[in-house]
Amino acid sequence: MRRTIPVFLALLAFLFFMATPPVWAAASTPRPEPRPLRFAPLPGENHELAMGEYSPMLQELARILHRRVEFVFTGAFDELFDRFRAGEVDLAALGPLPYITLRERYAAAAPLALFRDAAGKTADACAIIAFGAAPLPLDGLHSHRFALTQTYYTCGYMAAQNLLRAHGSGLEHNRFHYFISQESVVLAVVRGEFDGGCVRTTTARQFSHLGIRIIDETPPLPGLALVANTETLPEKDRQIIRDFLTDSDLRRTNKAGFAAWGETVRYGAVAVSDADYDATRRYRGAMAIPAKGTD
């Protein structure tokens, strides 16, 4: 009996040792890497240009959030909206019309910061443009051809339609074609392929040396914003991003660092909320935007 007890205790100790992972093994188990921060630029943007534009900013966000960054490229706004709703996008760069459209489909979309332009403004108008001395009288305009940016671009169908309606016309009385970018719209007008186009006022002025002139403009509308998916990005991270982008003191003390950021995001930002887009909602009204052009 005296011999049986020690043997029994030794057996129990052996079984306990086998069932319990050693401390060194637990310590060597690597922690799971945090999920990457997934960012979507505007649909259809050239991949290399988009990465050059946004990567410096995103790398700073990755550093302060201790997460990697991944780009999510899409070919159209509807694809971006679908991937946002599916939880495949954490952050997106969106103008006002794409944002309010996404928000209507997905209440978890929330704007964090509105980027300033080189003049310090956070809003810009949209302009109907023409080339050279070619006349483009908007009053009662019929049977003309317009170049427009993608369906949900703010300075696309929505802006052009409202401007033409103010002159007793409309895109339904004319023909229009969607292009992938504002630059494509400008060049199509310069080549004489279209009678007019609609782009941001800032863009129109940048191409004035080519003979582009502004015919009429909308009221100022919000510019580019960083929009978060509140279902995939915790509030703590959203606040860190908002505070970092809107920190004017940090921008003053690190001018060289921010100078390396892309042109659309390097001039600082201001905090923004959904209510700041109410004027855009009123401007769009109940307008239905066609998915395809008529030219």
Side-chain angles (χ1 to χ4, degrees):
M1 185 67 180
R2 291 177 182 175
R3 292 180 180 178
T4 304
I5 292 176
V7 171
F8 177 73
L9 292 176
L11 179 60
L12 282 178
F14 175 77
L15 292 174
F16 179 81
F17 176 81
M18 293 298 293
T20 306
V23 175
W24 60 265
S28 65
T29 302
R31 293 183 179 181
E33 184 179 359
R35 185 178 55 74
L37 190 67
R38 299 159 301 180
F39 170 79
L42 290 171
E45 282 196 279
N46 177 279
H47 292 193
E48 291 185 4
L49 292 179
M51 292 178 73
E53 180 72 18
Y54 296 109
S55 285
M57 176 187 74
L58 294 172
Q59 291 306 318
E60 285 297 311
L61 295 181
R63 179 182 61 81
I64 61 178
L65 293 174
H66 307 290
R67 295 168 66 174
R68 292 186 299 108
V69 171
E70 287 183 359
F71 277 79
V72 178
F73 292 105
T74 56
F77 277 107
D78 283 322
E79 180 188 354
L80 190 156
F81 299 157
D82 289 343
R83 298 188 70 173
F84 207 102
R85 289 190 300 172
E88 298 174 10
V89 174
D90 303 306
L91 293 170
L94 295 175
L97 180 58
Y99 164 68
I100 64 174
T101 304
L102 172 61
R103 177 79 176 211
E104 288 168 354
R105 302 182 185 186
Y106 185 60
L112 297 182
L114 193 61
F115 294 105
R116 298 181 186 273
D117 63 15
K121 298 184 299 181
T122 58
D124 195 7
C126 303
I128 285 186
I129 59 171
F131 174 65
L136 188 64
L138 298 186
D139 291 341
L141 194 69
H142 279 66
S143 304
H144 283 64
R145 302 173 71 219
F146 280 87
L148 305 176
T149 45
Q150 294 185 58
T151 315
Y152 293 108
Y153 265 84
T154 306
C155 295
Y157 186 96
M158 179 186 75
Q161 180 71 323
N162 275 328
L163 287 170
L164 289 176
R165 281 179 174 174
H167 290 271
S169 181
L171 287 168
E172 65 273 16
H173 303 302
N174 297 275
R175 301 186 66 78
F176 63 94
H177 181 82
Y178 289 127
F179 286 85
I180 196 69
S181 69
Q182 295 188 99
E183 290 74 14
S184 299
V185 168
V186 170
L187 294 176
V189 174
V190 168
R191 290 192 298 265
E193 297 168 359
F194 291 83
D195 303 300
C198 193
V199 296
R200 292 175 61 207
T201 295
T202 301
T203 302
R205 289 174 179 160
Q206 288 172 346
F207 287 93
S208 61
H209 65 285
L210 295 181
I212 288 294
R213 74 182 199 278
I214 294 174
I215 306 299
D216 199 1
E217 296 177 83
T218 69
L221 297 167
L224 188 72
L226 191 65
V227 177
N229 188 336
T230 61
E231 290 291 333
T232 65
L233 199 62
E235 169 59 28
K236 182 181 74 171
D237 288 352
R238 300 199 303 271
Q239 190 60 52
I240 289 173
I241 294 171
R242 184 186 293 110
D243 290 346
F244 177 73
L245 292 177
T246 59
D247 189 338
S248 56
D249 291 334
L250 178 62
R251 193 166 294 274
R252 279 194 296 270
T253 58
N254 187 22
K255 290 183 179 180
F258 287 103
W261 288 24
E263 179 71 20
T264 56
V265 296
R266 72 172 55 161
Y267 300 108
V270 298
V272 65
S273 69
D274 179 70
D276 293 316
Y277 290 86
D278 287 345
T280 305
R281 292 184 173 98
R282 290 191 295 271
Y283 188 70
R284 184 199 58 180
M287 181 186 301
I289 299 177
K292 296 182 179 180
T294 56
D295 191 283

